[in-house]
Amino acid sequence: MRDSQLVGARRFESFVRWSTYFALATPVGTLLGTVRWADRLTGAPLAAWIAAVVLSLALVTGNVLVTRWSIDTLVGRARRLPAGGVAAWLLVLAALVAATFLIPLHGMGMTVAAAIGAAGASFAPVLNARRALLLHAALLVLAVPLLGFGDVALLLTGAVMISVILWVCWSSAWMLRVLLELQAAHEDRAALALANQRLRIARDLHDVFGRTLAAIAVKSSLAAELVKRGRDDRAAAELTEVQRLAEEAGTEVRHVVRGELRTTWDGEVSGARSLLESAGIRCTVTGDPVPEECAEALAWVVREGVTNLLRHSAATRVTLATAHEDGEVLLTIANDGAAAPGSAPTGETGDADGGGTGLRSMAERIHALGGRLSTRRDGTWFLLDATIPLPKDDPA
């Protein structure tokens, strides 16, 4: 998709370049027509034709150089203008203006006005609308003496020619600018989607494998203790459970990467109870039923909260309590392993590295539903509260 957009942008850029080159070359060609008309009336020598051809080629070359610079600047490939070529281009324009007054041929003013208009329009691609309007006004003011004050028809014709040339070039460049901005917006959106996907995978991996690794650590420790006590059968059962958890981890990785991971309230509560009991921690679950709209977010809170207290607390009792209060669902995870004030926060559900990734992850899920997450102490108990607004159509 991105490659096709780049090809389309490049093709349109080529179209804008060549159509602009052609538009700026056409008025210069009227110089040859003027010399031809003068030749029929006055018998102008061959030198006049040669001079006209040289001037036309010089003007076209200068217009192309400046237009190329303007479009390159527009598309972000700015390059320096060749000083010598620009100087020669300006000298040719000055010579044409002088020739209008020194050799007053019929139609010469129109030809020179068109040439100046084309030269000015070569800067149009790099200008915004306001500056293009100022350039337009300056070209019209400059063309008035060349076209003659008395000939209204000639003035109008010259003004229309200059205006058409300028705004055709500017509008083509404007369309290219819009296309480039649209392409940049698509790229930014793709980059943002990729960043969000990476963030989702990182968050899910943290949340999923935090508990899985904690469970493996708990059961491995229990198996080692059972082996020491000579209870080999029970130790073998625990090691089999560790193997099962490891195999489940591989499946969960695939689900996380594919975005297929789904967490249920009943499943997480059941898993938390089983894990805590394996670690010798009594778990009590009480309270009101959790609405389906809030179940997944609160299930992630249970997963992360239980994982962290296993890592960082010395709890012997844990309570998972839910309640409907003031139009909100409140989940409280409480454990009795909080440290005394001033000592290490063994009861807090923070991350081992101190970065707070787990708390941030939980908070993001809760805030997405308009809820809030907080922690507090109550004596030797540490409590994690997660609150989510009840759905409006919920009868509670």
Side-chain angles (χ1 to χ4, degrees):
M1 180 67 178
R2 182 174 181 273
D3 291 339
S4 63
Q5 290 176 349
L6 287 175
V7 171
R10 288 170 183 165
R11 287 179 178 175
F12 189 71
E13 179 186 336
S14 298
F15 167 77
V16 169
R17 285 183 184 275
W18 289 102
S19 61
T20 304
Y21 295 160
F22 180 78
L24 297 181
T26 301
V28 177
T30 59
L31 180 61
L32 298 177
T34 301
V35 174
R36 180 181 180 186
W37 182 87
D39 182 34
R40 288 180 178 178
L41 289 183
T42 62
L46 180 62
W49 279 101
I50 296 175
V53 171
V54 171
L55 287 175
S56 298
L57 290 177
L59 285 174
V60 170
T61 302
N63 289 347
V64 169
L65 282 175
V66 176
T67 304
R68 183 184 178 190
W69 168 82
S70 297
I71 295 178
D72 285 343
T73 302
L74 172 63
V75 299
R77 297 194 297 270
R79 64 184 72 194
R80 295 182 61 183
L81 280 169
V86 174
W89 179 59
L90 294 175
L91 286 175
V92 171
L93 288 173
L96 275 176
V97 173
T100 303
F101 298 101
L102 297 176
I103 311 174
L105 296 175
H106 179 78
M108 191 65 178
M110 174 69 74
T111 298
V112 176
I116 292 176
S122 62
F123 289 97
V126 80
L127 302 178
N128 56 28
R130 182 172 177 272
R131 292 180 178 177
L133 285 171
L134 293 175
L135 175 63
H136 186 202
L139 291 176
L140 292 179
V141 170
L142 183 61
V144 168
L146 300 174
L147 296 172
F149 292 93
D151 195 335
V152 176
L154 192 63
L155 276 175
L156 290 176
T157 303
V160 169
M161 180 180 293
I162 291 173
S163 301
V164 169
I165 295 171
L166 175 67
W167 292 109
V168 164
C169 296
W170 184 87
S171 60
S172 296
W174 176 81
M175 287 188 289
L176 177 59
R177 183 181 291 109
V178 171
L179 179 62
L180 293 174
E181 290 175 353
L182 182 62
Q183 179 181 330
H186 279 302
E187 292 176 352
D188 290 343
R189 185 175 65 178
L192 182 60
L194 180 60
N196 287 335
Q197 183 75 347
R198 287 174 175 171
L199 180 61
R200 179 193 64 79
I201 291 175
R203 182 186 65 188
D204 289 351
L205 285 175
H206 175 276
D207 294 347
V208 168
F209 288 103
R211 196 185 75 169
T212 301
L213 294 176
I216 290 175
V218 168
K219 290 185 176 295
S220 298
S221 177
L222 177 59
E225 185 64 27
L226 290 171
V227 169
K228 291 178 182 179
R229 297 180 181 182
R231 301 176 63 181
D232 294 342
D233 293 342
R234 177 75 186 279
E238 294 297 334
L239 289 175
T240 300
E241 182 67 10
V242 169
Q243 181 182 6
R244 184 189 66 79
L245 289 172
E247 291 173 350
E248 281 185 0
T251 302
E252 288 176 334
V253 167
R254 291 189 290 272
H255 288 167
V256 167
V257 172
R258 297 171 185 169
E260 300 171 350
L261 187 64
R262 293 294 179 268
T263 303
T264 64
W265 170 258
D266 292 337
E268 287 303 319
V269 170
S270 176
R273 190 199 300 269
S274 175
L275 180 58
L276 291 170
E277 290 177 352
S278 296
I281 301 173
R282 190 167 48 134
C283 178
T284 303
V285 181
T286 63
D288 301 323
V290 176
E292 183 179 352
E293 294 82 355
C294 310
E296 184 173 358
L298 292 180
W300 282 111
V301 174
V302 169
R303 176 184 284 256
E304 184 62 29
V306 170
T307 299
N308 282 346
L309 72 87
L310 281 172
R311 288 176 175 174
H312 312 305
S313 77
T316 60
R317 288 181 295 165
V318 173
T319 300
L320 306 180
T322 57
H324 297 179
E325 298 179 356
D326 300 326
E328 296 178 325
V329 180
L330 171 64
L331 166 65
T332 299
I333 303 177
N335 72 83
D336 63 352
S343 62
T346 56
E348 298 185 13
T349 55
D351 287 319
D353 59 4
T357 304
L359 286 175
R360 284 199 302 271
S361 177
M362 285 189 285
E364 287 172 2
R365 295 181 188 275
I366 297 302
H367 291 165
L369 297 176
R372 59 189 181 276
L373 190 75
S374 62
T375 58
R376 56 192 170 93
R377 287 174 178 270
D378 185 5
T380 60
W381 286 76
F382 181 82
L383 298 94
L384 172 68
D385 295 322
T387 306
I388 298 178
L390 278 167
K392 293 182 179 180
D393 58 349
D394 195 290

